[in-house]
Amino acid sequence: MKDLVRLRTSLSEEIENILNEQVKMEGSSSSKYLAMASWCGEHGFEKSEAFFMTQSDEERKHMLKIFKYIADVGGKSISPEIGNINHEFNSLREVFETALEQEIGVTRSIHRIVEACRKANDYTTEQFIQWFIQEQIEEEYIARRIVELFDVIGEDTPGGLFMIDNAIAQVVYDTGAAAAE
Ligand SMILES: [Fe+2]
Ligand SMILES: [Fe+2]
């Protein structure tokens, strides 16, 4: 007797599970960024607060993108339980260093999905997940550039943190597409 539930989807159980774990990770990133927005707002870093509000929104979109994919290919997407969100930070630098670490962790996790897809010969999911690989280049780039601002501008110089907060709004990722034209 074949497993009828499995016949309704081309997704293997292993890939379904790993994708649901990613749904959770993106949802958790969204909540973590919201906590960072809260800390920044509380400490007067207006631009950083806005930055993390936008990031939180983006992570939720990432979560929904995977959530919908699982359902679209006949799998069961799981609405994640998210707990233990840290709201305590010692400095603005620590907030951004934590954000960078988080993005690096997400990149690793996305790469693990690609590995699993290759092992399972799941070319459909591998192609779907490509978008996230590109997205992570941008996410890591921006987080890394912002962390660098703390040294470039200098957080201990008078008005340094104010200047860093303002500079954050200007950090953008240039894909180089314009140069290639
Ligand atoms: Fe994400
Ligand atoms: Fe991200």
Side-chain angles (χ1 to χ4, degrees):
M1 184 69 185
K2 289 207 172 171
D3 181 345
L4 287 175
V5 176
R6 284 290 129 207
L7 285 178
R8 275 191 241 125
T9 175
S10 56
L11 215 53
S12 72
E13 201 175 341
E14 189 207 347
I15 301 295
E16 183 181 298
N17 289 341
I18 206 170
L19 286 175
N20 272 315
E21 278 167 29
Q22 195 60 36
V23 164
K24 185 171 181 150
M25 194 173 201
E26 301 291 344
S28 157
S29 294
S30 178
S31 295
K32 285 176 186 167
Y33 281 147
L34 214 49
M36 290 176 189
S38 161
W39 188 93
C40 292
E42 197 188 333
H43 291 82
F45 300 114
E46 213 181 2
K47 300 284 166 45
S48 301
E49 179 187 17
F51 173 85
F52 283 119
M53 292 293 282
T54 305
Q55 284 305 113
S56 172
D57 209 29
E58 283 206 4
E59 299 303 345
R60 182 174 160 79
K61 284 183 190 143
H62 296 167
M63 178 185 86
L64 294 180
K65 207 176 170 85
I66 304 168
F67 187 89
K68 186 167 186 307
Y69 171 80
I70 298 169
D72 284 351
V73 294
K76 184 184 170 101
S77 25
I78 308 289
S79 175
E81 268 178 49
I82 290 154
N84 287 330
I85 300 298
N86 176 39
H87 286 76
E88 306 305 322
F89 300 94
N90 293 311
S91 64
L92 187 63
R93 181 195 275 262
E94 191 187 298
V95 173
F96 279 99
E97 282 174 349
T98 309
L100 175 59
E101 268 170 33
Q102 189 175 299
E103 289 302 337
I104 292 170
V106 170
T107 303
R108 287 205 184 112
S109 182
I110 296 288
H111 290 175
R112 274 197 296 272
I113 296 176
V114 176
E115 257 175 61
C117 286
R118 291 192 178 167
K119 269 191 205 139
N121 294 330
D122 186 342
Y123 309 115
T124 314
T125 305
E126 186 181 339
Q127 185 180 294
F128 162 77
I129 217 73
Q130 291 299 318
W131 182 90
F132 286 87
I133 294 182
Q134 185 60 39
E135 178 70 10
Q136 281 313 115
I137 296 175
E138 183 176 337
E139 300 260 273
E140 267 193 45
Y141 174 90
I142 289 175
R144 200 168 275 120
R145 287 313 246 178
I146 292 176
V147 168
E148 282 168 5
L149 286 177
F150 287 85
D151 291 326
V152 173
I153 297 174
E155 61 196 299
D156 297 326
T157 53
L161 280 171
F162 178 75
M163 281 190 273
I164 291 167
D165 185 48
N166 273 294
I168 281 159
Q170 270 114 55
V171 176
V172 282
Y173 176 63
D174 178 5
T175 57
E181 274 169 13

PDB file of all heavy atoms in Angstrom, residues 111-142:
ATOM      1  N   HIS A 111      22.128  27.141   1.905  1.00  0.00           N
ATOM      2  CA  HIS A 111      23.065  26.258   1.199  1.00  0.00           C
ATOM      3  C   HIS A 111      22.819  24.789   1.552  1.00  0.00           C
ATOM      4  O   HIS A 111      22.943  23.913   0.699  1.00  0.00           O
ATOM      5  CB  HIS A 111      24.511  26.662   1.501  1.00  0.00           C
ATOM      6  CG  HIS A 111      24.886  27.971   0.876  1.00  0.00           C
ATOM      7  ND1 HIS A 111      26.091  28.590   1.089  1.00  0.00           N
ATOM      8  CD2 HIS A 111      24.199  28.788   0.033  1.00  0.00           C
ATOM      9  CE1 HIS A 111      26.131  29.737   0.409  1.00  0.00           C
ATOM     10  NE2 HIS A 111      24.992  29.870  -0.228  1.00  0.00           N
ATOM     11  N   ARG A 112      22.458  24.546   2.813  1.00  0.00           N
ATOM     12  CA  ARG A 112      22.149  23.171   3.234  1.00  0.00           C
ATOM     13  C   ARG A 112      20.913  22.645   2.502  1.00  0.00           C
ATOM     14  O   ARG A 112      20.825  21.463   2.187  1.00  0.00           O
ATOM     15  CB  ARG A 112      21.939  23.101   4.756  1.00  0.00           C
ATOM     16  CG  ARG A 112      23.253  22.923   5.518  1.00  0.00           C
ATOM     17  CD  ARG A 112      23.000  22.450   6.951  1.00  0.00           C
ATOM     18  NE  ARG A 112      22.267  23.456   7.718  1.00  0.00           N
ATOM     19  CZ  ARG A 112      22.857  24.443   8.405  1.00  0.00           C
ATOM     20  NH1 ARG A 112      24.165  24.540   8.440  1.00  0.00           N
ATOM     21  NH2 ARG A 112      22.124  25.307   9.071  1.00  0.00           N
ATOM     22  N   ILE A 113      19.974  23.537   2.210  1.00  0.00           N
ATOM     23  CA  ILE A 113      18.770  23.121   1.466  1.00  0.00           C
ATOM     24  C   ILE A 113      19.178  22.689   0.050  1.00  0.00           C
ATOM     25  O   ILE A 113      18.716  21.658  -0.450  1.00  0.00           O
ATOM     26  CB  ILE A 113      17.713  24.250   1.412  1.00  0.00           C
ATOM     27  CG1 ILE A 113      17.215  24.566   2.826  1.00  0.00           C
ATOM     28  CG2 ILE A 113      16.534  23.862   0.505  1.00  0.00           C
ATOM     29  CD1 ILE A 113      16.240  25.730   2.914  1.00  0.00           C
ATOM     30  N   VAL A 114      20.062  23.468  -0.573  1.00  0.00           N
ATOM     31  CA  VAL A 114      20.526  23.122  -1.919  1.00  0.00           C
ATOM     32  C   VAL A 114      21.189  21.738  -1.897  1.00  0.00           C
ATOM     33  O   VAL A 114      20.912  20.888  -2.736  1.00  0.00           O
ATOM     34  CB  VAL A 114      21.504  24.185  -2.470  1.00  0.00           C
ATOM     35  CG1 VAL A 114      22.062  23.764  -3.819  1.00  0.00           C
ATOM     36  CG2 VAL A 114      20.823  25.543  -2.582  1.00  0.00           C
ATOM     37  N   GLU A 115      22.041  21.529  -0.906  1.00  0.00           N
ATOM     38  CA  GLU A 115      22.721  20.229  -0.759  1.00  0.00           C
ATOM     39  C   GLU A 115      21.716  19.089  -0.664  1.00  0.00           C
ATOM     40  O   GLU A 115      21.841  18.064  -1.348  1.00  0.00           O
ATOM     41  CB  GLU A 115      23.519  20.238   0.547  1.00  0.00           C
ATOM     42  CG  GLU A 115      25.007  20.447   0.374  1.00  0.00           C
ATOM     43  CD  GLU A 115      25.652  20.549   1.749  1.00  0.00           C
ATOM     44  OE1 GLU A 115      25.568  19.568   2.537  1.00  0.00           O
ATOM     45  OE2 GLU A 115      26.179  21.631   2.028  1.00  0.00           O
ATOM     46  N   ALA A 116      20.696  19.287   0.185  1.00  0.00           N
ATOM     47  CA  ALA A 116      19.666  18.254   0.394  1.00  0.00           C
ATOM     48  C   ALA A 116      18.883  18.009  -0.896  1.00  0.00           C
ATOM     49  O   ALA A 116      18.560  16.865  -1.222  1.00  0.00           O
ATOM     50  CB  ALA A 116      18.724  18.675   1.523  1.00  0.00           C
ATOM     51  N   CYS A 117      18.598  19.096  -1.640  1.00  0.00           N
ATOM     52  CA  CYS A 117      17.859  18.964  -2.909  1.00  0.00           C
ATOM     53  C   CYS A 117      18.660  18.131  -3.907  1.00  0.00           C
ATOM     54  O   CYS A 117      18.106  17.299  -4.618  1.00  0.00           O
ATOM     55  CB  CYS A 117      17.594  20.335  -3.521  1.00  0.00           C
ATOM     56  SG  CYS A 117      16.332  21.266  -2.671  1.00  0.00           S
ATOM     57  N   ARG A 118      19.965  18.368  -3.938  1.00  0.00           N
ATOM     58  CA  ARG A 118      20.819  17.620  -4.878  1.00  0.00           C
ATOM     59  C   ARG A 118      20.845  16.145  -4.529  1.00  0.00           C
ATOM     60  O   ARG A 118      20.754  15.293  -5.402  1.00  0.00           O
ATOM     61  CB  ARG A 118      22.227  18.207  -4.896  1.00  0.00           C
ATOM     62  CG  ARG A 118      22.186  19.570  -5.542  1.00  0.00           C
ATOM     63  CD  ARG A 118      23.521  20.132  -5.889  1.00  0.00           C
ATOM     64  NE  ARG A 118      23.300  21.416  -6.549  1.00  0.00           N
ATOM     65  CZ  ARG A 118      24.218  22.310  -6.784  1.00  0.00           C
ATOM     66  NH1 ARG A 118      25.462  22.069  -6.436  1.00  0.00           N
ATOM     67  NH2 ARG A 118      23.926  23.430  -7.381  1.00  0.00           N
ATOM     68  N   LYS A 119      20.933  15.860  -3.222  1.00  0.00           N
ATOM     69  CA  LYS A 119      20.935  14.461  -2.776  1.00  0.00           C
ATOM     70  C   LYS A 119      19.621  13.779  -3.123  1.00  0.00           C
ATOM     71  O   LYS A 119      19.588  12.612  -3.491  1.00  0.00           O
ATOM     72  CB  LYS A 119      21.176  14.388  -1.267  1.00  0.00           C
ATOM     73  CG  LYS A 119      22.646  14.279  -0.934  1.00  0.00           C
ATOM     74  CD  LYS A 119      22.833  13.933   0.545  1.00  0.00           C
ATOM     75  CE  LYS A 119      24.195  14.434   0.989  1.00  0.00           C
ATOM     76  NZ  LYS A 119      24.175  15.044   2.308  1.00  0.00           N
ATOM     77  N   ALA A 120      18.519  14.537  -3.012  1.00  0.00           N
ATOM     78  CA  ALA A 120      17.183  13.954  -3.235  1.00  0.00           C
ATOM     79  C   ALA A 120      16.735  14.069  -4.698  1.00  0.00           C
ATOM     80  O   ALA A 120      15.619  13.709  -5.025  1.00  0.00           O
ATOM     81  CB  ALA A 120      16.176  14.652  -2.320  1.00  0.00           C
ATOM     82  N   ASN A 121      17.603  14.599  -5.550  1.00  0.00           N
ATOM     83  CA  ASN A 121      17.259  14.869  -6.959  1.00  0.00           C
ATOM     84  C   ASN A 121      15.998  15.727  -7.096  1.00  0.00           C
ATOM     85  O   ASN A 121      15.193  15.512  -7.996  1.00  0.00           O
ATOM     86  CB  ASN A 121      17.050  13.557  -7.738  1.00  0.00           C
ATOM     87  CG  ASN A 121      18.337  12.769  -7.838  1.00  0.00           C
ATOM     88  OD1 ASN A 121      19.433  13.347  -7.852  1.00  0.00           O
ATOM     89  ND2 ASN A 121      18.223  11.455  -7.890  1.00  0.00           N
ATOM     90  N   ASP A 122      15.838  16.668  -6.177  1.00  0.00           N
ATOM     91  CA  ASP A 122      14.672  17.553  -6.214  1.00  0.00           C
ATOM     92  C   ASP A 122      15.073  18.849  -6.948  1.00  0.00           C
ATOM     93  O   ASP A 122      15.424  19.853  -6.336  1.00  0.00           O
ATOM     94  CB  ASP A 122      14.201  17.855  -4.780  1.00  0.00           C
ATOM     95  CG  ASP A 122      12.905  18.659  -4.762  1.00  0.00           C
ATOM     96  OD1 ASP A 122      12.559  19.270  -5.793  1.00  0.00           O
ATOM     97  OD2 ASP A 122      12.250  18.675  -3.705  1.00  0.00           O
ATOM     98  N   TYR A 123      15.000  18.802  -8.270  1.00  0.00           N
ATOM     99  CA  TYR A 123      15.447  19.944  -9.083  1.00  0.00           C
ATOM    100  C   TYR A 123      14.484  21.121  -8.976  1.00  0.00           C
ATOM    101  O   TYR A 123      14.880  22.276  -9.116  1.00  0.00           O
ATOM    102  CB  TYR A 123      15.604  19.511 -10.543  1.00  0.00           C
ATOM    103  CG  TYR A 123      16.457  18.265 -10.673  1.00  0.00           C
ATOM    104  CD1 TYR A 123      15.930  17.080 -11.149  1.00  0.00           C
ATOM    105  CD2 TYR A 123      17.795  18.291 -10.255  1.00  0.00           C
ATOM    106  CE1 TYR A 123      16.708  15.927 -11.231  1.00  0.00           C
ATOM    107  CE2 TYR A 123      18.577  17.148 -10.326  1.00  0.00           C
ATOM    108  CZ  TYR A 123      18.030  15.971 -10.812  1.00  0.00           C
ATOM    109  OH  TYR A 123      18.805  14.849 -10.868  1.00  0.00           O
ATOM    110  N   THR A 124      13.230  20.820  -8.751  1.00  0.00           N
ATOM    111  CA  THR A 124      12.208  21.876  -8.640  1.00  0.00           C
ATOM    112  C   THR A 124      12.497  22.775  -7.433  1.00  0.00           C
ATOM    113  O   THR A 124      12.533  23.993  -7.548  1.00  0.00           O
ATOM    114  CB  THR A 124      10.803  21.243  -8.500  1.00  0.00           C
ATOM    115  OG1 THR A 124      10.680  20.210  -9.463  1.00  0.00           O
ATOM    116  CG2 THR A 124       9.708  22.265  -8.673  1.00  0.00           C
ATOM    117  N   THR A 125      12.712  22.142  -6.293  1.00  0.00           N
ATOM    118  CA  THR A 125      12.987  22.934  -5.087  1.00  0.00           C
ATOM    119  C   THR A 125      14.343  23.624  -5.204  1.00  0.00           C
ATOM    120  O   THR A 125      14.505  24.766  -4.765  1.00  0.00           O
ATOM    121  CB  THR A 125      12.928  22.048  -3.819  1.00  0.00           C
ATOM    122  OG1 THR A 125      11.661  21.401  -3.792  1.00  0.00           O
ATOM    123  CG2 THR A 125      13.101  22.867  -2.562  1.00  0.00           C
ATOM    124  N   GLU A 126      15.288  22.947  -5.818  1.00  0.00           N
ATOM    125  CA  GLU A 126      16.607  23.560  -5.976  1.00  0.00           C
ATOM    126  C   GLU A 126      16.477  24.862  -6.788  1.00  0.00           C
ATOM    127  O   GLU A 126      17.076  25.875  -6.442  1.00  0.00           O
ATOM    128  CB  GLU A 126      17.585  22.607  -6.670  1.00  0.00           C
ATOM    129  CG  GLU A 126      18.990  23.199  -6.689  1.00  0.00           C
ATOM    130  CD  GLU A 126      20.028  22.331  -7.381  1.00  0.00           C
ATOM    131  OE1 GLU A 126      19.825  21.114  -7.513  1.00  0.00           O
ATOM    132  OE2 GLU A 126      21.060  22.896  -7.787  1.00  0.00           O
ATOM    133  N   GLN A 127      15.661  24.803  -7.817  1.00  0.00           N
ATOM    134  CA  GLN A 127      15.478  26.012  -8.629  1.00  0.00           C
ATOM    135  C   GLN A 127      14.738  27.097  -7.855  1.00  0.00           C
ATOM    136  O   GLN A 127      15.096  28.263  -7.899  1.00  0.00           O
ATOM    137  CB  GLN A 127      14.711  25.681  -9.906  1.00  0.00           C
ATOM    138  CG  GLN A 127      14.623  26.899 -10.815  1.00  0.00           C
ATOM    139  CD  GLN A 127      13.871  26.588 -12.083  1.00  0.00           C
ATOM    140  OE1 GLN A 127      14.332  25.804 -12.892  1.00  0.00           O
ATOM    141  NE2 GLN A 127      12.725  27.191 -12.237  1.00  0.00           N
ATOM    142  N   PHE A 128      13.728  26.678  -7.090  1.00  0.00           N
ATOM    143  CA  PHE A 128      12.969  27.629  -6.271  1.00  0.00           C
ATOM    144  C   PHE A 128      13.882  28.354  -5.289  1.00  0.00           C
ATOM    145  O   PHE A 128      13.782  29.560  -5.091  1.00  0.00           O
ATOM    146  CB  PHE A 128      11.852  26.880  -5.521  1.00  0.00           C
ATOM    147  CG  PHE A 128      11.289  27.646  -4.362  1.00  0.00           C
ATOM    148  CD1 PHE A 128      10.397  28.698  -4.572  1.00  0.00           C
ATOM    149  CD2 PHE A 128      11.660  27.344  -3.053  1.00  0.00           C
ATOM    150  CE1 PHE A 128       9.888  29.422  -3.501  1.00  0.00           C
ATOM    151  CE2 PHE A 128      11.160  28.070  -1.980  1.00  0.00           C
ATOM    152  CZ  PHE A 128      10.268  29.105  -2.199  1.00  0.00           C
ATOM    153  N   ILE A 129      14.816  27.604  -4.698  1.00  0.00           N
ATOM    154  CA  ILE A 129      15.649  28.163  -3.628  1.00  0.00           C
ATOM    155  C   ILE A 129      16.777  29.070  -4.162  1.00  0.00           C
ATOM    156  O   ILE A 129      17.378  29.825  -3.405  1.00  0.00           O
ATOM    157  CB  ILE A 129      16.174  27.018  -2.710  1.00  0.00           C
ATOM    158  CG1 ILE A 129      16.202  27.462  -1.234  1.00  0.00           C
ATOM    159  CG2 ILE A 129      17.512  26.480  -3.135  1.00  0.00           C
ATOM    160  CD1 ILE A 129      14.869  27.561  -0.566  1.00  0.00           C
ATOM    161  N   GLN A 130      17.008  29.028  -5.469  1.00  0.00           N
ATOM    162  CA  GLN A 130      18.048  29.886  -6.060  1.00  0.00           C
ATOM    163  C   GLN A 130      17.828  31.367  -5.737  1.00  0.00           C
ATOM    164  O   GLN A 130      18.769  32.113  -5.501  1.00  0.00           O
ATOM    165  CB  GLN A 130      18.087  29.734  -7.591  1.00  0.00           C
ATOM    166  CG  GLN A 130      18.584  28.389  -8.082  1.00  0.00           C
ATOM    167  CD  GLN A 130      19.995  28.081  -7.645  1.00  0.00           C
ATOM    168  OE1 GLN A 130      20.870  28.951  -7.681  1.00  0.00           O
ATOM    169  NE2 GLN A 130      20.217  26.863  -7.211  1.00  0.00           N
ATOM    170  N   TRP A 131      16.579  31.781  -5.750  1.00  0.00           N
ATOM    171  CA  TRP A 131      16.244  33.179  -5.463  1.00  0.00           C
ATOM    172  C   TRP A 131      16.819  33.609  -4.109  1.00  0.00           C
ATOM    173  O   TRP A 131      17.316  34.722  -3.955  1.00  0.00           O
ATOM    174  CB  TRP A 131      14.712  33.361  -5.469  1.00  0.00           C
ATOM    175  CG  TRP A 131      14.286  34.772  -5.235  1.00  0.00           C
ATOM    176  CD1 TRP A 131      14.081  35.739  -6.181  1.00  0.00           C
ATOM    177  CD2 TRP A 131      14.029  35.403  -3.962  1.00  0.00           C
ATOM    178  NE1 TRP A 131      13.704  36.928  -5.576  1.00  0.00           N
ATOM    179  CE2 TRP A 131      13.668  36.737  -4.217  1.00  0.00           C
ATOM    180  CE3 TRP A 131      14.072  34.961  -2.629  1.00  0.00           C
ATOM    181  CZ2 TRP A 131      13.343  37.648  -3.213  1.00  0.00           C
ATOM    182  CZ3 TRP A 131      13.762  35.874  -1.610  1.00  0.00           C
ATOM    183  CH2 TRP A 131      13.398  37.192  -1.905  1.00  0.00           C
ATOM    184  N   PHE A 132      16.780  32.686  -3.145  1.00  0.00           N
ATOM    185  CA  PHE A 132      17.247  32.989  -1.792  1.00  0.00           C
ATOM    186  C   PHE A 132      18.775  33.112  -1.742  1.00  0.00           C
ATOM    187  O   PHE A 132      19.314  33.845  -0.922  1.00  0.00           O
ATOM    188  CB  PHE A 132      16.761  31.926  -0.800  1.00  0.00           C
ATOM    189  CG  PHE A 132      15.288  32.049  -0.494  1.00  0.00           C
ATOM    190  CD1 PHE A 132      14.344  31.428  -1.291  1.00  0.00           C
ATOM    191  CD2 PHE A 132      14.852  32.816   0.571  1.00  0.00           C
ATOM    192  CE1 PHE A 132      12.988  31.559  -1.023  1.00  0.00           C
ATOM    193  CE2 PHE A 132      13.503  32.955   0.851  1.00  0.00           C
ATOM    194  CZ  PHE A 132      12.562  32.322   0.045  1.00  0.00           C
ATOM    195  N   ILE A 133      19.447  32.381  -2.612  1.00  0.00           N
ATOM    196  CA  ILE A 133      20.913  32.460  -2.643  1.00  0.00           C
ATOM    197  C   ILE A 133      21.323  33.881  -3.031  1.00  0.00           C
ATOM    198  O   ILE A 133      22.151  34.513  -2.384  1.00  0.00           O
ATOM    199  CB  ILE A 133      21.496  31.419  -3.624  1.00  0.00           C
ATOM    200  CG1 ILE A 133      21.211  30.020  -3.085  1.00  0.00           C
ATOM    201  CG2 ILE A 133      22.999  31.648  -3.844  1.00  0.00           C
ATOM    202  CD1 ILE A 133      21.773  28.900  -3.918  1.00  0.00           C
ATOM    203  N   GLN A 134      20.681  34.395  -4.069  1.00  0.00           N
ATOM    204  CA  GLN A 134      20.956  35.756  -4.527  1.00  0.00           C
ATOM    205  C   GLN A 134      20.572  36.779  -3.455  1.00  0.00           C
ATOM    206  O   GLN A 134      21.316  37.711  -3.175  1.00  0.00           O
ATOM    207  CB  GLN A 134      20.183  36.022  -5.835  1.00  0.00           C
ATOM    208  CG  GLN A 134      20.491  37.365  -6.475  1.00  0.00           C
ATOM    209  CD  GLN A 134      21.959  37.533  -6.844  1.00  0.00           C
ATOM    210  OE1 GLN A 134      22.606  36.597  -7.301  1.00  0.00           O
ATOM    211  NE2 GLN A 134      22.491  38.722  -6.625  1.00  0.00           N
ATOM    212  N   GLU A 135      19.434  36.565  -2.853  1.00  0.00           N
ATOM    213  CA  GLU A 135      18.937  37.466  -1.814  1.00  0.00           C
ATOM    214  C   GLU A 135      19.923  37.543  -0.644  1.00  0.00           C
ATOM    215  O   GLU A 135      20.180  38.611  -0.100  1.00  0.00           O
ATOM    216  CB  GLU A 135      17.560  36.972  -1.340  1.00  0.00           C
ATOM    217  CG  GLU A 135      16.910  37.774  -0.224  1.00  0.00           C
ATOM    218  CD  GLU A 135      16.446  39.154  -0.632  1.00  0.00           C
ATOM    219  OE1 GLU A 135      16.440  39.446  -1.841  1.00  0.00           O
ATOM    220  OE2 GLU A 135      16.111  39.946   0.275  1.00  0.00           O
ATOM    221  N   GLN A 136      20.518  36.397  -0.290  1.00  0.00           N
ATOM    222  CA  GLN A 136      21.455  36.379   0.832  1.00  0.00           C
ATOM    223  C   GLN A 136      22.731  37.156   0.528  1.00  0.00           C
ATOM    224  O   GLN A 136      23.348  37.708   1.434  1.00  0.00           O
ATOM    225  CB  GLN A 136      21.784  34.938   1.253  1.00  0.00           C
ATOM    226  CG  GLN A 136      20.713  34.292   2.096  1.00  0.00           C
ATOM    227  CD  GLN A 136      20.214  35.173   3.236  1.00  0.00           C
ATOM    228  OE1 GLN A 136      19.052  35.567   3.236  1.00  0.00           O
ATOM    229  NE2 GLN A 136      21.062  35.500   4.190  1.00  0.00           N
ATOM    230  N   ILE A 137      23.123  37.211  -0.739  1.00  0.00           N
ATOM    231  CA  ILE A 137      24.315  38.006  -1.090  1.00  0.00           C
ATOM    232  C   ILE A 137      24.050  39.459  -0.681  1.00  0.00           C
ATOM    233  O   ILE A 137      24.862  40.107  -0.032  1.00  0.00           O
ATOM    234  CB  ILE A 137      24.622  37.920  -2.606  1.00  0.00           C
ATOM    235  CG1 ILE A 137      24.990  36.484  -3.002  1.00  0.00           C
ATOM    236  CG2 ILE A 137      25.748  38.903  -2.997  1.00  0.00           C
ATOM    237  CD1 ILE A 137      25.194  36.274  -4.498  1.00  0.00           C
ATOM    238  N   GLU A 138      22.871  39.928  -1.043  1.00  0.00           N
ATOM    239  CA  GLU A 138      22.478  41.303  -0.734  1.00  0.00           C
ATOM    240  C   GLU A 138      22.344  41.536   0.770  1.00  0.00           C
ATOM    241  O   GLU A 138      22.850  42.519   1.314  1.00  0.00           O
ATOM    242  CB  GLU A 138      21.144  41.590  -1.444  1.00  0.00           C
ATOM    243  CG  GLU A 138      20.680  43.010  -1.252  1.00  0.00           C
ATOM    244  CD  GLU A 138      19.403  43.329  -2.032  1.00  0.00           C
ATOM    245  OE1 GLU A 138      19.109  42.635  -3.022  1.00  0.00           O
ATOM    246  OE2 GLU A 138      18.711  44.261  -1.624  1.00  0.00           O
ATOM    247  N   GLU A 139      21.675  40.618   1.441  1.00  0.00           N
ATOM    248  CA  GLU A 139      21.433  40.769   2.882  1.00  0.00           C
ATOM    249  C   GLU A 139      22.742  40.794   3.675  1.00  0.00           C
ATOM    250  O   GLU A 139      22.919  41.618   4.565  1.00  0.00           O
ATOM    251  CB  GLU A 139      20.553  39.626   3.382  1.00  0.00           C
ATOM    252  CG  GLU A 139      19.202  39.555   2.712  1.00  0.00           C
ATOM    253  CD  GLU A 139      18.103  40.161   3.549  1.00  0.00           C
ATOM    254  OE1 GLU A 139      17.530  39.460   4.370  1.00  0.00           O
ATOM    255  OE2 GLU A 139      17.832  41.367   3.351  1.00  0.00           O
ATOM    256  N   GLU A 140      23.659  39.887   3.311  1.00  0.00           N
ATOM    257  CA  GLU A 140      24.940  39.849   4.015  1.00  0.00           C
ATOM    258  C   GLU A 140      25.764  41.094   3.701  1.00  0.00           C
ATOM    259  O   GLU A 140      26.412  41.649   4.573  1.00  0.00           O
ATOM    260  CB  GLU A 140      25.743  38.613   3.578  1.00  0.00           C
ATOM    261  CG  GLU A 140      25.517  37.427   4.464  1.00  0.00           C
ATOM    262  CD  GLU A 140      26.548  36.343   4.214  1.00  0.00           C
ATOM    263  OE1 GLU A 140      27.748  36.646   4.111  1.00  0.00           O
ATOM    264  OE2 GLU A 140      26.127  35.177   4.093  1.00  0.00           O
ATOM    265  N   TYR A 141      25.734  41.520   2.451  1.00  0.00           N
ATOM    266  CA  TYR A 141      26.498  42.691   2.030  1.00  0.00           C
ATOM    267  C   TYR A 141      26.086  43.912   2.850  1.00  0.00           C
ATOM    268  O   TYR A 141      26.931  44.623   3.404  1.00  0.00           O
ATOM    269  CB  TYR A 141      26.270  42.960   0.529  1.00  0.00           C
ATOM    270  CG  TYR A 141      26.915  44.235   0.039  1.00  0.00           C
ATOM    271  CD1 TYR A 141      28.221  44.211  -0.455  1.00  0.00           C
ATOM    272  CD2 TYR A 141      26.240  45.448   0.078  1.00  0.00           C
ATOM    273  CE1 TYR A 141      28.828  45.391  -0.891  1.00  0.00           C
ATOM    274  CE2 TYR A 141      26.835  46.619  -0.367  1.00  0.00           C
ATOM    275  CZ  TYR A 141      28.120  46.585  -0.849  1.00  0.00           C
ATOM    276  OH  TYR A 141      28.716  47.748  -1.271  1.00  0.00           O
ATOM    277  N   ILE A 142      24.789  44.146   2.925  1.00  0.00           N
ATOM    278  CA  ILE A 142      24.291  45.326   3.634  1.00  0.00           C
ATOM    279  C   ILE A 142      24.650  45.261   5.124  1.00  0.00           C
ATOM    280  O   ILE A 142      25.166  46.230   5.685  1.00  0.00           O
ATOM    281  CB  ILE A 142      22.765  45.495   3.402  1.00  0.00           C
ATOM    282  CG1 ILE A 142      22.537  45.923   1.940  1.00  0.00           C
ATOM    283  CG2 ILE A 142      22.166  46.523   4.368  1.00  0.00           C
ATOM    284  CD1 ILE A 142      21.105  46.012   1.502  1.00  0.00           C
TER     285      ILE A 142
END
